[in-house]
Amino acid sequence: MPELRGRLLANESLAPLTWFRVGGPAQVLFTPADEDDLAYFLSKLSSDVPVYVVGVGSNLIVRDGGIEGVVIRLSPRGFGQVTTDGDTLTAGTAALDKRVAETAAAANIGGLEFYFGIPGSIGGALRMNAGANGGETKDLLIEAIGISRDGKKHVFDNAGMQFVYRNSGVDPSIIFTSAKFRGPITDPATIRSRMNEVQQHRETAQPIREKTGGSTFKNPPGHSAWKLVDAAGCRGLRVGGAQVSEMHCNFLINTGDATAHDIETLGDTVRARVLAQSGIDLHWEIKRIGVAL
């Protein structure tokens, strides 16, 4: 790949790139310079090499044995631009959700306030149909651009994203690079009030100052995951250095010396207890990748 402009690192630790601060190394970590560099890399990479994408690592467990193959991390420098034009906003997928909300507010674009409370990036929001406080990604997305494993660019409209609750039906090998949203022009004071409500909810109800990965389990239809976890007696439950948050028991936290194995084992223990207590099978919302030791 003589024309490659991005950065390649071998056996690079991924723990510092995740909010849990756990996990083993990537066999190869690639940070592309921009969309064209990413497309070039993928077009030249052998199809039998596994490829994974990580964003800001807020909703991710990297297992202790690390990741075989290539991990791609899109940097804010190449994929973090956020611009507005009238009632539309375009964002690179490395842009933080919170920054997207702030940029929309500055342009009087409403509807994106919920992003102010999601500690991730737009790439993850597209893949998981991220939502909070009554809003979801699918509500405002016009289109998303992604690069396929052969290096070709694809454009997906809202229907093409095949959004469902906390997921998208787009081929998992697609790496999203940008997204365009449209929201109603709204009174600035109304937007700011909504954002303040989102922030207050986070600060009073979620352990945002802990090493955590956000909401652990998806809400089953008609139920709140945290209530099921609480009813099963799991609030404060520990495995090694991992603990179910006392503040919000749909959050797992690294108390300081947890391993990825501790956190994942704790999550599966909670799932088993909820199933035994309520008959409901909780599904992970946090993504888990890599190999266990």
Side-chain angles (χ1 to χ4, degrees), residues 61-82:
I61 296 173
V62 175
R63 296 186 175 106
D64 301 304
I67 299 177
E68 298 174 347
V70 175
V71 172
I72 295 176
R73 186 168 189 257
L74 306 186
S75 69
R77 177 177 294 181
F79 299 85
Q81 187 175 18
V82 184

Side-chain angles (χ1 to χ4, degrees), residues 255-286:
T255 63
D257 59 352
T259 63
H261 179 73
D262 289 343
I263 297 169
E264 190 169 9
T265 300
L266 176 59
D268 285 335
T269 300
V270 169
R271 292 181 64 236
R273 291 194 181 188
V274 168
L275 182 62
Q277 196 273 336
S278 67
I280 296 175
D281 187 12
L282 290 179
H283 295 283
W284 284 90
E285 184 171 326
I286 288 176

Side-chain angles (χ1 to χ4, degrees), residues 13-289:
S13 175
L14 294 175
L17 304 184
T18 73
W19 283 41
F20 276 121
R21 296 296 189 264
V22 299
Q27 189 174 12
V28 174
L29 177 64
F30 175 54
T31 306
D34 51 32
E35 186 180 74
D36 290 339
D37 197 41
L38 172 63
Y40 173 74
F41 177 80
L42 292 173
S43 71
K44 300 297 183 182
L45 186 67
S46 174
S47 61
D48 60 358
V49 176
V51 173
Y52 302 87
V53 181
V54 300
V56 294
S58 61
N59 195 247
L60 179 69
I61 296 173
V62 175
R63 296 186 175 106
D64 301 304
I67 299 177
E68 298 174 347
V70 175
V71 172
I72 295 176
R73 186 168 189 257
L74 306 186
S75 69
R77 177 177 294 181
F79 299 85
Q81 187 175 18
V82 184
T83 60
T84 59
D85 182 10
D87 63 352
T88 65
L89 179 147
T90 302
T93 47
L96 293 178
D97 297 333
K98 185 173 184 178
R99 184 181 169 215
V100 167
E102 290 171 334
T103 305
N108 301 335
I109 300 173
L112 291 160
E113 298 89 353
F114 70 93
Y115 273 145
F116 197 68
I118 300 178
S121 61
I122 290 300
L126 294 174
R127 183 57 66 184
M128 298 187 64
N129 185 24
N133 302 94
E136 288 185 303
T137 300
K138 70 175 181 62
D139 298 336
L140 298 112
L141 183 81
I142 301 173
E143 66 178 30
I145 294 175
I147 308 297
S148 56
R149 185 59 196 267
D150 58 5
K152 294 180 180 178
K153 182 185 293 188
H154 301 265
V155 179
F156 302 89
D157 62 12
N158 191 295
M161 290 294 292
Q162 305 173 56
F163 283 129
V164 294
Y165 175 65
R166 297 299 175 265
N167 203 3
S168 162
V170 173
D171 185 336
S173 68
I174 294 287
I175 300 176
F176 294 117
T177 56
S178 67
K180 181 179 288 187
F181 303 89
R182 175 176 287 118
I185 297 299
T186 306
D187 175 65
T190 300
I191 294 175
R192 184 54 59 183
S193 175
R194 291 172 182 167
M195 289 170 65
N196 288 340
E197 289 175 6
V198 169
Q199 184 64 19
Q200 183 176 12
H201 173 75
R202 288 195 70 221
E203 291 181 349
T204 58
Q206 299 177 5
I208 60 175
R209 291 174 177 80
E210 305 282 357
K211 297 174 183 175
T212 183
S215 295
T216 305
F217 306 110
K218 300 176 183 179
N219 289 323
H223 296 274
S224 294
W226 78 264
K227 291 182 179 179
L228 294 169
V229 174
D230 204 17
C234 296
R235 186 183 292 268
L237 183 66
R238 283 178 174 261
V239 171
Q243 181 183 17
V244 176
S245 170
E246 297 272 7
M247 178 182 251
H248 191 314
C249 49
N250 196 26
F251 283 66
L252 306 183
I253 59 176
N254 175 2
T255 63
D257 59 352
T259 63
H261 179 73
D262 289 343
I263 297 169
E264 190 169 9
T265 300
L266 176 59
D268 285 335
T269 300
V270 169
R271 292 181 64 236
R273 291 194 181 188
V274 168
L275 182 62
Q277 196 273 336
S278 67
I280 296 175
D281 187 12
L282 290 179
H283 295 283
W284 284 90
E285 184 171 326
I286 288 176
K287 301 299 181 184
R288 294 152 295 134
I289 59 176

